[in-house]
Amino acid sequence: MTTLILGGMAQGKTALAQSLCPNTARFDGGADEPERMDACGIVDDLHLLVRRMLERGEQPQELLPRLLGKTVVCTEIGLGIVPIDRTERDWREYTGRLCCDLAAQADRVILVRCGISRTIKGELL
């Protein structure tokens, strides 16, 4: 089952992912080597993994098949003021497009605000 969990910074997304998938290995998109992702059931901080890929000149859309069947956590970075810096805009654009594509194929999509989850696609349990 593919689950996408979205929300702002420090809203309880990772805790929800771990409660939905107890005893499941977690991949840290900001620190772990990309090769490790395939062995993990939870992919956390997808937005940071996208940034790292863009810095290396890689295409984040190539991640999509590797994310299917996992619980994916991504911080919402596309709201608010549009950055002047092209690199920052591109990061937001690529992250948003990847999340849209993942949400279209996901079995469930959950939005988390203040630790409260709201299922916007599929069923929570």
Side-chain angles (χ1 to χ4, degrees):
M1 170 177 278
T2 304
T3 301
L4 175 60
I5 301 174
L6 300 165
M9 183 70 137
Q11 296 294 306
K13 300 178 302 293
T14 301
L16 175 62
Q18 291 174 322
S19 72
L20 293 173
C21 306
N23 304 314
T24 301
R26 180 181 154 271
F27 172 82
D28 181 348
D32 291 340
E33 290 303 315
E35 299 79 33
R36 184 174 178 274
M37 184 174 65
D38 296 329
C40 297
I42 298 172
V43 176
D44 201 359
D45 291 330
L46 178 65
H47 61 292
L48 297 179
L49 178 58
V50 169
R51 176 178 277 215
R52 291 170 56 202
M53 291 182 75
L54 291 171
E55 288 171 353
R56 292 191 303 257
E58 299 171 1
Q59 292 298 314
Q61 288 302 115
E62 294 174 4
L63 284 174
L64 186 58
R66 295 175 64 195
L67 297 172
L68 299 177
K70 299 183 182 301
T71 296
V72 181
V73 178
C74 187
T75 296
E76 175 56 59
I77 59 172
L79 301 173
I81 298 170
V82 177
I84 293 174
D85 182 55
R86 176 69 183 203
T87 304
E88 291 293 312
R89 286 194 317 268
D90 287 347
W91 173 45
R92 286 161 174 74
E93 178 79 20
Y94 280 103
T95 301
R97 290 189 185 277
L98 180 58
C99 285
C100 287
D101 292 344
L102 183 57
Q105 295 187 43
D107 299 294
R108 64 183 170 190
V109 179
I110 303 169
L111 183 62
V112 180
R113 297 261 197 255
C114 300
I116 299 170
S117 60
R118 180 172 194 149
T119 304
I120 57 177
K121 180 182 179 184
E123 301 293 324
L124 183 57
L125 298 176

